[in-house]
Amino acid sequence: MADTLLIDLFKQLGSIAVQLAKQEINLLVGVDEEVQKLQGKLGMIKAMLDDAEERHAVKQRTEKLWLEQLQNQYYVMDDILDTWDTARIRAEIEKEEGKPADTNAPAVVKKKVCSFVPSPSCCFNLPLRHDVGHMIRKLNEKLDMVFKDKATYGIDFNRQPDVVERPTTTSFVDVSQIFGRNIYRDDPLKNLLGVGSQEETNSYCVISLVGLGGIGKTTLAQLAYNHPDVQAHFQKRMWICVSDPFDQCNVAKAIIKEVDPRHEPLNDTKLQTLLCKIQDLIKDEKYFLVLDDVWTEDFQKWEPFKIALKNDVHGSRILVTTRKQRAAEVMGSVLTINLKVLSDEDCWSIFSKIAFSNEEQLKYLEDLGRKLAIKCKGLPLAAKTLGSLMQNKRSREQWNKILDSHMWELEDIEKGLLAPLLLSYYELPSTMRRCFSYCAVFAKDYRFSRDQLVLHWIAQGYVESKANMELEDIAEEYFEKLAMRSFFQDFRNDEDNDGKIISCKMHDIVHDFAQFMSKNESFVIDSDKKLEIDCQIARHLHLEISKEMQHLESIYHAKSLRSLFLLSHDMDYEFEMLLSNSFHHFKCLRTLILDCPIKKLPDAVENLIHLRCLFICENVEIEELPETFCNLCNLQTLKIENHRYFKKLPQGMSKQINLRHLIFKDCFDWNDVVFPKGIGKLIGLRTLSHFHIGDKNDREGCKLGELKNLNQLRGTLKIYGMENVVNVDEAHNAQLKDKIHLRGLVLMFEELAFYEREERMENDVKVLTALELPRNLQRLTIWGYQGNTIYPNLPTLGQLPFLEVLDIMGLDKVKKVGDEFLGIEDSKNKKDYGIIFPNLKSLRFSWMSNWEEWIGMGGTGEEEEENDNGIVTNSIIIKIMPRLQSLKIDLCNKLKSLPNYLLTAPSLKNLEISHSPLLRKRYQRGNWHKISHISNITLDGWKWVQ
């Protein structure tokens, strides 16, 4: 009997084993199809999340919790797909290198799926197939539960979406309640009442007040509208609250009603009829029109009004308030006033007027009130909102509680301060909302680098690709739009690059708002705070560590982190151990910023298979990256700033085929960094800020020819070790002419020992002659070249159509500069060379200790004949540097004179001569008339301004 039972049991177990085996085999062979299904689900869930936020449909707590669960599963899906993709990329790399395929790398996805017995191709990469198959099955089970909960709790996002209320503004204002706007009050008034050239050509002009929500644009417009001088100056005044959307007919009807309040409402809704009526009503009037709260960036919506509002009376004014710089441009503003924040004292004045009803309360609570006023960070609306909040709170305990709270934790904030910011936030597309919210992980008052912020967004996958557009260009558009919508402030611009924004800050309250919108994802933990925050659900963590902090292990619960900013200036902490542990826990990281004094990057860095962006800051003491780092095949950006320490890139970097940006801090201290062979395989590189050519004794170093296929390079490339190019073919192989996107080039020749100089001189000439410069180059620097003439066979240099900046430095062998500098080979037999250096704006020569003569066209320094069209020589007119604005000569102590074609350049405004005594004496004494027409002259620090 017992034997029979055992036999039956073994039969059942055998049947179960077969069934389990079948399930496992089906799981293995079906994983390709499941991956494809998962990609479709990812897109659908992303659309659901975006739609729920866009419709502002999330109000109940159950809805928020459910969406958080769905968001979590979205991240899990993304990680699974990225794991699969990463293994595929690694398999391709290893196949190309001729190595056995990694058993953890999947085969390329097949459309055909095996039924039961797997084919050899299905058996390939079995361990990964097994793991991914189980992950997808577990994920699907979770998703089923999430959507079951949606049905159970009756969650419905298809109902009518909530609308964020847009307040209607009026022209009425209590002047006694306005503080700190005297400067801005005067500027609009002066331009509203002033008479200038604009009035001679246009019947009206547009003035715009631009700034973030709550900064006081409407208040200033109200002050201007009600000013007695304005009332006396204009025959008609009109106040229109435009808001969004810009309804042309409604705006036209409102203007008609304002011009003639007694006018009967028009039944005709045709825009043509309404605009004709406006023209008729204002034809003989000098009017003042306020268009408050304009959002539209559509030029076509404003164009009909632009025409209809013209009349034969000069001096009318249109005052526009808007949060968007682009809207001001669309309205055709002749003056744009960007409003700044108030002082703390002005905020206190606004706050105290509202919060206190008598002097006794003021004295009792003034110290706390002033601290609350500082918390408003210069935003008038914040001062009003907080003042209103504190009106009925009379105990110091209540005030201290408010003072210790975050702004967004306070009651009534949503109705007051939050609403205007929500309007701006929900007006953004979902991609830009994510980019804005990501800024919450940076510390307050942080100065954002435009270029770095763009790379962070790309690393997080926030930037949606478009056909024929670079991801970086799309992300730049995001930045521009956020900046023009007043989400950023305190801009610094690059004056040498068309005023492009290079950095900015975020107002503290806007930063608070970003944290509020990402409160379940972004966390900032300062060194003086205890680790009491539950980081388990964190996606982005800014962690500043001090030796006093204990139990850092608690952050390891944040296994879903996608960004980690690790900061410390404490030299005693064991950061290598912390990092090594972190790399075992934070395997979902996309962005890692290291700003702590570590001396070695742990080998465990290879665990961060999803990593896209690594920043190594100045404080980091590592000299090289481990070879395991090269296994990060998804890496897009590597930025290294610790120039005092860093010496060597790893040999296997050619495996990082997705690398787009290899950036070193902008300084000249990288001349001894070893670059590996094979870096030329990284054909996707968009930025290679520095490149070092290894010498003949450097077996590991790379050659100039590695640049051959890097034709996607953008920005500026600094090439160190040009003296190591001993084979002229290498210069040809670099194919610089094919780098059509490159805008800046720096060629660095290192000075060698005295006995090598003669050989160097001949070699440098050959190398420089062999280089062919990119046609679109805008900036060129040549340093330390040992030829005795300036690039004798670079005839294309003077013909580069976009070259704006040229710096020549450290050319110790040069004694004389002649026509070869202009690319003219035979000065006695000249032909018409057209315009030489047609776009050059800045020219500088430095550290040329043996330079004695600068000969002009066919003669000595100052002997050319000139006319309005250029230099006349042998009856041939040659235009030279017609756009030159700045000329600098530094440390050229033997140079005697300058050629006339420079001093007579029609647009030359700045001349600077320093540490060049012969040149300085020549023009300071007997030849001052040669340079006196130049607007700004500096001679060894002494400045003359015309």
Side-chain angles (χ1 to χ4, degrees):
M1 184 68 178
D3 291 342
T4 303
L5 289 173
L6 284 173
I7 291 170
D8 289 341
L9 178 61
F10 282 128
K11 284 181 179 179
Q12 292 177 28
L13 289 174
S15 176
I16 293 171
V18 169
Q19 291 298 321
L20 290 173
K22 286 182 178 180
Q23 290 177 14
E24 288 296 308
I25 291 171
N26 287 331
L27 191 71
L28 288 171
V29 299
V31 73
D32 301 283
E33 185 178 5
E34 290 300 318
V35 166
Q36 289 181 334
K37 288 180 181 177
L38 196 60
Q39 288 172 332
K41 286 182 182 177
L42 188 75
M44 288 296 296
I45 290 179
K46 180 180 180 297
M48 288 180 64
L49 292 167
D50 289 344
D51 188 54
E53 184 182 40
E54 200 143 320
R55 292 165 59 86
H56 319 152
V58 184
K59 282 292 181 184
Q60 300 174 9
R61 182 168 173 77
T62 52
E63 294 172 344
K64 292 180 180 180
L65 290 173
W66 185 85
L67 277 176
E68 285 177 9
Q69 292 180 24
L70 188 62
Q71 178 84 64
N72 290 337
Q73 298 313 310
Y74 171 83
Y75 284 127
V76 173
M77 294 168 75
D78 189 38
D79 288 338
I80 292 173
L81 289 171
D82 203 54
T83 299
W84 179 264
D85 227 19
T86 301
R88 178 184 57 78
I89 293 170
R90 284 184 175 178
E92 291 174 356
I93 292 170
E94 290 173 352
K95 181 180 178 181
E96 182 154 332
E97 291 180 339
K99 296 179 181 178
D102 185 353
T103 55
N104 288 323
V108 177
V109 175
K110 305 287 185 182
K111 290 185 179 179
K112 184 177 180 181
V113 181
C114 304
S115 56
F116 180 75
V117 181
S119 68
S121 63
C122 289
C123 292
F124 186 58
N125 308 314
L126 291 179
L128 181 92
R129 287 176 164 281
H130 177 271
D131 292 344
V132 169
H134 276 279
M135 284 190 285
I136 292 177
R137 186 167 65 182
K138 185 177 179 181
L139 171 67
N140 286 332
E141 291 171 357
K142 288 262 190 180
L143 282 173
D144 288 342
M145 291 176 61
V146 169
F147 283 105
K148 185 178 179 181
D149 287 344
K150 181 173 183 285
T152 300
Y153 294 109
I155 296 171
D156 180 17
F157 295 120
N158 294 319
R159 65 176 183 270
Q160 189 68 23
D162 293 332
V163 178
V164 180
E165 185 179 351
R166 296 176 181 271
T168 301
T169 64
T170 69
S171 63
F172 297 102
V173 66
D174 184 353
V175 177
S176 67
Q177 300 296 315
I178 309 303
F179 300 93
R181 288 305 190 193
N182 292 334
I183 296 175
Y184 291 108
R185 189 182 331 192
D186 294 342
D187 280 351
L189 279 176
K190 181 175 65 177
N191 287 280
L192 289 173
L193 304 175
V195 178
S197 59
Q198 284 289 336
E199 294 188 2
E200 298 171 9
T201 55
N202 297 320
S203 63
Y204 68 86
C205 66
V206 180
I207 300 167
S208 288
L209 302 175
V210 180
L212 63 90
I215 204 167
K217 303 180 296 296
T218 298
T219 300
L220 275 178
Q222 291 166 335
L223 288 173
Y225 189 86
N226 291 286
H227 197 279
D229 292 345
V230 170
Q231 294 181 28
H233 188 76
F234 297 99
Q235 294 164 293
K236 289 289 183 182
R237 292 179 303 137
M238 301 162 275
W239 181 281
I240 311 297
C241 179
V242 179
S243 199
D244 192 48
F246 188 101
D247 187 305
Q248 290 175 300
C249 289
N250 285 342
V251 171
K253 289 177 181 178
I255 291 175
I256 293 170
K257 188 67 176 175
E258 284 285 293
V259 177
D260 186 3
R262 295 172 297 180
H263 195 281
E264 292 184 8
L266 290 172
N267 294 323
D268 198 327
T269 57
K270 292 181 180 179
L271 182 62
Q272 171 71 22
T273 305
L274 297 172
L275 293 178
C276 287
K277 189 63 183 177
I278 290 173
Q279 275 194 322
D280 183 58
L281 288 172
I282 66 167
K283 62 183 179 181
D284 298 319
E285 307 282 357
K286 183 196 287 189
Y287 61 83
F288 176 39
L289 170 62
V290 174
L291 298 174
D292 188 42
D293 197 26
V294 175
W295 290 71
T296 185
E297 298 178 31
D298 187 348
F299 175 80
Q300 293 181 340
K301 288 191 174 182
W302 171 244
E303 183 66 12
F305 291 91
K306 184 178 179 181
I307 299 169
L309 288 167
K310 289 182 178 179
N311 59 22
D312 295 329
V313 181
H314 293 290
S316 293
R317 295 289 185 267
I318 298 175
L319 183 62
V320 175
T321 73
T322 179
R323 305 179 188 197
K324 302 159 82 172
Q325 189 77 29
R326 177 61 185 156
E329 294 171 2
V330 163
M331 304 294 282
S333 302
V334 298
L335 173 67
T336 298
I337 301 172
N338 290 282
L339 268 64
K340 308 296 182 185
V341 296
L342 297 176
S343 67
D344 289 341
E345 190 62 32
D346 288 328
C347 274
W348 162 246
S349 298
I350 295 172
F351 174 86
S352 60
K353 274 272 187 181
I354 299 171
F356 302 114
S357 58
N358 57 60
E359 285 292 322
E360 185 178 344
Q361 292 174 355
L362 175 61
K363 290 179 182 178
Y364 179 56
L365 296 167
E366 179 174 356
D367 59 328
L368 300 179
R370 286 188 176 275
K371 291 178 181 178
L372 279 173
I374 292 172
K375 200 168 184 175
C376 296
K377 297 299 180 181
L379 200 63
L381 181 60
K384 291 178 183 178
T385 304
L386 272 179
S388 179
L389 180 64
M390 305 310 294
Q391 272 183 330
N392 299 317
K393 293 178 172 56
R394 293 290 168 253
S395 74
R396 291 183 66 86
E397 182 182 1
Q398 288 176 308
W399 281 59
N400 273 312
K401 185 177 179 181
I402 297 294
L403 190 59
D404 293 337
S405 301
H406 291 293
M407 186 74 77
W408 306 111
E409 296 172 354
L410 305 177
E411 57 183 281
D412 294 333
I413 286 295
E414 183 171 350
K415 295 178 182 178
L417 188 54
L418 184 58
L421 293 172
L422 277 173
L423 282 173
S424 294
Y425 177 79
Y426 284 127
E427 195 255 349
L428 298 171
S430 60
T431 51
M432 288 170 57
R433 288 200 294 267
R434 287 192 291 272
C435 291
F436 165 74
S437 299
Y438 184 76
C439 296
V441 76
F442 295 89
K444 280 189 177 181
D445 207 39
Y446 180 85
R447 178 158 288 280
F448 297 95
S449 161
R450 171 199 184 109
D451 293 339
Q452 291 185 18
L453 193 55
V454 159
L455 297 178
H456 285 306
W457 292 340
I458 293 173
Q460 293 299 318
Y462 296 155
V463 181
E464 292 186 347
S465 60
K466 295 180 183 178
N468 302 319
M469 280 193 73
E470 291 282 305
L471 285 173
E472 292 78 6
D473 294 336
I474 299 168
E476 292 252 348
E477 285 186 1
Y478 292 178
F479 179 90
E480 288 285 349
K481 289 177 180 178
L482 286 171
M484 295 183 79
R485 285 162 168 78
S486 303
F487 284 102
F488 297 126
Q489 63 179 28
D490 292 344
F491 299 107
R492 288 181 183 168
N493 302 83
D494 184 356
E495 300 303 329
D496 295 328
N497 192 11
D498 297 325
K500 175 183 174 181
I501 298 170
I502 55 177
S503 69
C504 63
K505 289 186 176 181
M506 182 176 275
H507 188 279
D508 279 4
I509 287 180
V510 178
H511 185 274
D512 286 342
F513 175 68
Q515 287 185 318
F516 175 77
M517 299 308 293
S518 59
K519 61 184 177 182
N520 293 327
E521 292 199 349
S522 292
F523 295 88
V524 177
I525 302 176
D526 297 329
S527 58
D528 58 346
K529 293 181 181 177
K530 294 180 180 179
L531 285 174
E532 297 174 346
I533 300 174
D534 181 6
C535 298
Q536 188 168 352
I537 58 174
R539 303 291 175 184
H540 313 289
L541 177 62
H542 184 287
L543 177 62
E544 185 174 349
I545 301 173
S546 67
K547 62 183 178 182
E548 288 81 14
M549 297 178 78
Q550 302 294 325
H551 308 300
L552 275 175
E553 292 78 7
S554 61
I555 69 168
Y556 296 149
H557 295 299
K559 293 183 181 294
S560 299
L561 273 186
R562 293 192 159 215
S563 303
L564 176 60
F565 292 37
L566 194 59
L567 292 83
S568 180
H569 301 287
D570 192 336
M571 303 294 290
D572 299 329
Y573 200 88
E574 295 182 0
F575 289 106
E576 279 87 358
M577 181 63 70
L578 171 65
L579 273 185
S580 186
N581 290 335
S582 299
F583 294 165
H584 284 95
H585 288 84
F586 303 144
K587 295 182 180 181
C588 298
L589 278 180
R590 266 66 172 174
T591 298
L592 175 62
I593 294 183
L594 297 177
D595 190 8
C596 48
I598 60 170
K599 296 179 187 276
K600 182 182 178 182
L601 194 66
D603 289 339
V605 68
E606 67 177 338
N607 290 328
L608 307 181
I609 63 169
H610 303 289
L611 195 68
R612 262 69 172 174
C613 182
L614 174 62
F615 280 22
I616 298 175
C617 301
E618 281 191 81
N619 195 32
V620 179
E621 299 178 8
I622 63 174
E623 294 186 358
E624 59 183 277
L625 299 170
E627 283 300 319
T628 57
F629 172 80
C630 301
N631 293 327
L632 302 179
C633 59
N634 284 312
L635 195 71
Q636 298 171 342
T637 299
L638 173 60
K639 183 169 186 182
I640 302 173
E641 297 185 333
N642 62 336
H643 56 96
R644 293 176 295 170
Y645 306 101
F646 198 81
K647 301 297 180 188
K648 184 181 178 182
L649 289 168
Q651 286 297 305
M653 281 192 70
S654 61
K655 293 188 288 186
Q656 296 180 318
I657 59 174
N658 285 307
L659 196 65
R660 299 171 71 91
H661 306 280
L662 177 53
I663 308 169
F664 292 83
K665 184 180 179 181
D666 189 16
C667 65
F668 284 94
D669 294 348
W670 301 103
N671 58 325
D672 57 349
V673 174
V674 176
F675 276 64
K677 291 178 182 178
I679 205 167
K681 294 181 181 180
L682 305 179
I683 59 174
L685 277 175
R686 268 62 174 177
T687 306
L688 180 60
S689 65
H690 296 67
F691 180 77
H692 195 278
I693 304 165
D695 61 32
K696 58 186 177 182
N697 298 320
D698 184 2
R699 295 181 179 179
E700 296 181 347
C702 62
K703 304 300 180 186
L704 184 62
E706 292 272 3
L707 295 174
K708 179 178 180 179
N709 295 317
L710 304 185
N711 294 330
Q712 296 298 318
L713 290 180
R714 288 157 167 74
T716 297
L717 169 64
K718 294 185 178 73
I719 304 178
Y720 292 86
M722 287 294 298
E723 73 283 354
N724 295 327
V725 183
V726 294
N727 186 340
V728 175
D729 288 341
E730 283 290 313
H732 286 297
N733 290 340
Q735 295 291 302
L736 292 182
K737 66 178 180 179
D738 293 335
K739 316 294 184 280
I740 59 174
H741 305 293
L742 207 60
R743 296 295 177 263
L745 181 63
V746 179
L747 303 175
M748 301 290 292
F749 293 80
E750 186 73 18
E751 186 174 349
L752 297 184
F754 180 79
Y755 62 86
E756 296 178 290
R757 287 186 179 178
E758 288 303 318
E759 181 182 348
R760 260 287 305 280
M761 181 176 72
E762 182 179 346
N763 190 67
D764 283 5
V765 171
K766 290 180 180 179
V767 168
L768 204 56
T769 300
L771 289 177
E772 297 178 81
L773 300 178
R775 178 175 172 78
N776 295 329
L777 207 62
Q778 294 176 353
R779 300 172 299 278
L780 174 65
T781 297
I782 300 176
W783 175 280
Y785 164 72
Q786 293 299 300
N788 58 7
T789 58
I790 296 181
Y791 37 85
N793 291 303
L794 275 178
T796 59
L797 184 60
Q799 297 299 319
L800 289 175
F802 305 108
L803 189 66
E804 296 183 1
V805 180
L806 178 58
D807 290 345
I808 310 294
M809 297 182 282
L811 276 62
D812 291 335
K813 289 289 184 180
V814 172
K815 292 185 177 181
K816 183 174 73 172
V817 173
D819 292 347
E820 80 286 346
F821 170 62
L822 303 173
I824 298 175
E825 300 172 7
D826 184 357
S827 60
K828 293 182 180 180
N829 186 25
K830 296 181 178 65
K831 57 181 179 179
D832 188 351
Y833 283 87
I835 303 176
I836 298 175
F837 292 108
N839 209 36
L840 193 68
K841 296 177 182 177
S842 174
L843 176 61
R844 179 174 64 169
F845 288 90
S846 299
W847 295 92
M848 294 177 60
S849 57
N850 291 305
W851 185 18
E852 298 176 358
E853 294 182 275
W854 193 344
I855 296 175
M857 296 277 292
T860 58
E862 298 168 1
E863 293 182 357
E864 311 93 358
E865 182 185 348
E866 59 184 279
N867 67 11
D868 292 339
N869 295 317
I871 304 301
V872 180
T873 175
N874 293 343
S875 300
I876 298 294
I877 297 175
I878 302 176
K879 287 187 176 181
I880 302 174
M881 306 181 196
R883 302 188 66 188
L884 186 68
Q885 298 176 8
S886 174
L887 173 63
K888 295 182 181 180
I889 309 293
D890 184 32
L891 291 160
C892 301
N893 57 313
K894 294 183 180 180
L895 184 60
K896 301 168 186 174
S897 66
L898 301 173
N900 265 354
Y901 67 74
L902 282 176
L903 299 180
T904 58
S907 56
L908 186 62
K909 297 177 182 177
N910 300 290
L911 173 64
E912 183 176 333
I913 298 172
S914 58
H915 303 96
S916 306
L918 298 180
L919 207 58
R920 186 196 68 221
K921 289 178 182 178
R922 179 180 184 85
Y923 294 108
Q924 196 171 11
R925 294 182 180 179
N927 290 274
W928 178 257
H929 66 280
K930 292 275 188 180
I931 62 173
S932 59
H933 63 284
I934 301 172
S935 302
N936 298 292
I937 302 171
T938 303
L939 303 178
D940 280 337
W942 292 92
K943 193 168 186 177
W944 285 266
V945 180
Q946 303 294 334

